[in-house]
Amino acid sequence: MKIPTFVLASASPARRRLLENAGIQAVICPSDFDEAQIQMRDANNLVQVLAEGKAEAVAKFLLANSHPQIPNPKSCLVLGCDSILLIDGEIHGKPKDAEEAISRWQKMRGKVGELYTGHALIDTRFDDFGEARSRSLIRCQVTKVHFAEVTSRQIAAYVATGEPLACAGCFALEGKGGLFVEKIEGCHTNVIGLSLPLLRQMLTEMGYDVADFWQS
Ligand SMILES: Nc1nc2c(ncn2[C@H]2C[C@H](O)[C@@H](COP(=O)(O)OP(=O)(O)OP(=O)(O)O)O2)c(=O)[nH]1
């Protein structure tokens, strides 16, 4: 089955790279969804609600506005994601500044955290009422992350590179942060921001085959 236009409702370069490297050419369409409006204490629900909010916002925008890269907005697959790190019972998104990143690393070194990523996939072909009330799937993937006993000098040097400031969890697994992750239990692309095997499963559940992305 021909796959509709794939839209990534995210500004995340990490998510874009994951899709590109997997051979999935996505139209990048970051959402303007206000994440601050959602306050929830349960990590699993929080990332799913946020991912759905981002995907819905973009799906609605595309159904109401033309887009140069999207010939038919009623034939799109829109993916929204949201990632947080749960550690010591606290939910963390991206650090607000270097000071917070240092403080978080001082607490998380030597410990085990859980990286939650919510995934919301909307098929706009099934738009029932002129809105983005289309067929959608919302899932969460969790990966355990074992952090190394890093020194304060290593923390300061790592934060000074700027890498952790763009990452929920204050580390980039495939970057310098990988030096400070002893091991993970579960999907590694989920840690980076988008679980590729989960995306394959969601596409399959919607009746699509990832192999169709590679057909010319
Ligand atoms: N490169 C990399 N980025 C990571 C890693 N872990 C988390 N991140 C990034 C991916 C996301 O860009 C960010 C999680 O924050 P959000 O889920 O709120 O997404 P973000 O605000 O970046 O973009 P979006 O809301 O999707 O437009 O953290 C990692 O291991 N490697």
Side-chain angles (χ1 to χ4, degrees):
M1 176 190 298
K2 184 174 175 342
I3 293 205
T5 305
F6 195 90
V7 180
L8 177 61
S10 175
S12 168
R15 292 185 176 124
R16 179 177 43 77
R17 275 196 304 273
L18 283 169
L19 292 175
E20 274 174 5
N21 294 340
I24 299 175
Q25 289 311 312
V27 174
I28 306 304
C29 192
S31 83
D32 60 359
F33 182 71
D34 176 13
E35 298 183 39
Q37 67 180 300
I38 307 292
Q39 303 291 331
M40 298 173 94
R41 296 188 56 75
D42 178 82
N44 192 310
N45 289 336
L46 175 64
V47 294
Q48 291 191 63
V49 168
L50 288 172
E52 183 182 24
K54 295 177 190 179
E56 281 264 349
V58 169
K60 283 181 178 164
F61 173 82
L62 293 178
L63 288 170
N65 299 274
S66 62
H67 188 291
Q69 293 174 273
I70 296 173
N72 178 4
K74 291 175 81 71
S75 178
C76 287
L77 281 174
V78 182
L79 175 67
C81 294
D82 191 81
S83 301
I84 59 98
L85 177 73
L86 178 69
I87 191 161
D88 288 338
E90 289 182 15
I91 290 175
H92 296 291
K94 294 182 285 190
K96 64 179 184 302
D97 54 28
E99 191 178 344
E100 181 182 335
I102 289 171
S103 162
R104 278 175 41 187
W105 261 106
Q106 285 168 344
K107 289 178 194 163
M108 68 196 211
R109 58 182 164 187
K111 292 183 181 164
V112 181
E114 290 177 312
L115 203 297
Y116 286 72
T117 297
H119 302 68
L121 191 60
I122 293 178
D123 186 341
T124 62
R125 291 186 314 152
F126 292 79
D127 165 27
D128 304 327
F129 306 103
E131 298 172 14
R133 288 166 55 114
S134 48
R135 199 157 49 119
S136 62
L137 291 177
I138 303 157
R139 299 284 187 275
C140 176
Q141 184 87 272
V142 187
T143 306
K144 277 191 191 304
V145 182
H146 296 244
F147 295 105
E149 276 288 0
V150 293
T151 66
S152 296
R153 179 170 183 263
Q154 288 165 338
I155 290 172
Y158 181 46
V159 173
T161 69
E163 181 180 277
L165 302 183
C167 302
C170 278
F171 71 99
L173 181 64
E174 81 287 13
K176 300 174 183 74
L179 289 161
F180 303 143
V181 172
E182 296 291 7
K183 72 172 180 178
I184 66 170
E185 294 173 67
C187 176
H188 77 287
T189 55
N190 184 61
V191 177
I192 297 172
L194 189 171
S195 172
L196 292 176
L198 177 59
L199 175 60
R200 187 199 79 252
Q201 293 158 21
M202 293 171 80
L203 287 166
T204 304
E205 199 171 328
M206 279 189 163
Y208 299 107
D209 184 338
V210 286
D212 291 332
F213 280 112
W214 306 321
Q215 308 307 314
S216 52

